[in-house]
């Protein structure tokens, strides 16, 4: 892990950009006034829109977490932002947009092509980032995961024993294979669902929630579209992570 820049935000949170091989990322650590040493860590998931575009929302989430004494970190997803283009993923996204614009259902084949290769590439990168982050003296466990592509969160919850709890956002297409993986998830889960999400299959989201094998899982549904998540939902998710990670 190589730090490439750092700045102190208005509330004292330290923001440091880093690279892990070819993978860009950002680490936020609490101010000395709110930090516990070493700080527990939350991995901030996000959609494949690029870190630059997502930065304002990620900073807001990081600052809210830092106020509770958490460090947070994120990495650029494969094929996104400044990383090399990924033609197969771009073709799958084009096929998805074409189906949606035509008012047709997005087929399982398109969903698999869009999501499964991303999960296969992104999850080992998240694990490598976690290795590097936990080697820093200011970072400790336990570790939580929050947001982003829900299929990535499911895979991480299955394969990464260092993740103790997860907040998942049911706002993306889910391959049928991920429903089987969900049965293997046992960590506490807090799942957010926007009831009128225009790009999400509500029934599939409910079926995925039902599939999770966790003994502690809760579903929090709110009226509104994909970007209409109320502030109260974010506050409830933050309380969930505080309860399980501190």
């Amino acid at each position: 892990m190589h730090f490439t820049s750092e700045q102190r935000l208005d509330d004292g949170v330290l923001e440091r950009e880093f690279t892990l091989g070819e993978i860009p990322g950002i680490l936020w650590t609490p101010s000395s006034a709110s930090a516990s040493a070493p700080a527990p860590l939350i991995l901030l998931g996000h959609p494949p829109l690029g870190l630059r575009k997502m930065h304002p929302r990620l900073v807001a989430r990081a600052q809210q977490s830092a106020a509770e004494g958490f460090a947070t970190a994120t990495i650029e997803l494969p094929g996104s932002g400044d990383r090399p283009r990924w033609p197969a993923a771009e073709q799958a996204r084009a096929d998805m947009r074409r189906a949606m614009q035509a008012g047709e259902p997005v087929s399982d084949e398109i969903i698999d092509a869009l999501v499964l290769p991303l999960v296969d590439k992104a999850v080992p990168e998240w694990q490598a980032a976690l290795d590097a982050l936990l080697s820093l003296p200011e970072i400790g466990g336990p570790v939580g995961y929050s947001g982003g592509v829900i299929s990535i969160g499911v895979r991480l919850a299955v394969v990464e024993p260092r993740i103790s709890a997860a907040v998942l956002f049911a706002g993306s297409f889910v391959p049928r294979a991920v429903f089987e993986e969900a049965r293997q998830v046992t960590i506490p889960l807090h799942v957010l669902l926007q009831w009128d999400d225009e790009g999400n299959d509500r029934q599939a989201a409910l079926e995925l929630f039902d599939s999770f094998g966790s003994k502690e899982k809760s579903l929090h549904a709110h009226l509104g579209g994909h970007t209409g998540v109320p502030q109260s939902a974010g506050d409830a998710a933050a309380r969930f992570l505080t309860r399980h990670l501190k």
Side-chain angles (χ1 to χ4, degrees):
M1 175 178 282
H2 174 64
F3 289 105
T4 57
S5 71
E6 70 173 58
Q7 64 171 328
R8 186 73 66 174
L9 305 181
D10 291 343
D11 56 358
V13 173
L14 181 62
E15 177 184 270
R16 285 176 284 176
E17 296 186 2
F18 64 84
T19 56
L20 189 66
E22 65 174 15
I23 307 166
I26 309 174
L27 169 64
W28 294 271
T29 46
S31 66
S32 56
S34 58
S36 57
L41 176 67
I42 299 173
L43 303 177
L44 298 182
H46 55 88
L49 300 175
L51 283 183
R52 295 184 191 278
K53 184 173 183 178
M54 292 300 302
H55 185 263
R57 280 188 274 174
L58 289 166
V59 168
R61 292 165 62 191
Q63 290 178 305
Q64 181 182 28
S65 297
E68 299 296 329
F70 291 105
T72 50
T74 193
I75 57 174
E76 188 74 87
L77 291 173
S80 296
D82 296 329
R83 296 189 64 179
R85 296 297 90 196
W86 189 0
E90 292 177 352
Q91 181 61 54
R93 281 195 290 269
D95 293 341
M96 176 196 68
R97 286 193 297 268
R98 190 178 303 113
M100 294 179 70
Q101 289 168 359
E104 300 171 354
V106 180
S107 69
D108 287 346
E109 291 76 13
I110 293 175
I111 294 173
D112 286 356
L114 180 69
V115 179
L116 291 178
L118 176 63
V119 173
D120 289 342
K121 285 178 176 285
V123 167
E125 293 180 353
W126 273 113
Q127 291 182 288
L130 186 54
D131 290 340
L133 290 162
L134 290 177
S135 73
L136 299 173
E138 64 268 36
I139 305 296
V143 179
Y145 176 85
S146 178
V149 178
I150 195 168
S151 295
I152 292 176
V154 171
R155 177 72 61 81
L156 276 170
V158 172
V159 304
E160 182 46 73
R162 292 172 292 185
I163 294 178
S164 302
V167 173
L168 302 178
F169 180 43
S172 51
F173 291 108
V174 181
R176 300 311 303 181
V178 173
F179 286 76
E180 294 305 314
E181 290 188 56
R183 302 183 195 285
Q184 303 173 52
V185 175
T186 58
I187 63 173
L189 296 178
H190 181 105
V191 182
L192 297 173
L193 171 63
Q194 285 301 103
W195 200 250
D196 307 300
D197 192 334
E198 58 280 359
N200 184 47
D201 184 334
R202 181 197 303 164
Q203 187 58 42
L206 295 174
E207 291 175 7
L208 180 64
F209 178 79
D210 192 46
S211 297
F212 287 125
S214 303
K215 291 183 179 179
E216 181 184 341
K217 58 181 181 178
S218 58
L219 178 66
H220 301 258
H222 301 271
L223 296 177
H226 187 82
T227 59
V229 181
Q231 180 62 44
S232 60
D235 294 342
R239 289 193 297 271
F240 166 84
L241 288 172
T242 298
R243 187 166 70 252
H244 286 284
L245 302 181
K246 296 193 80 174

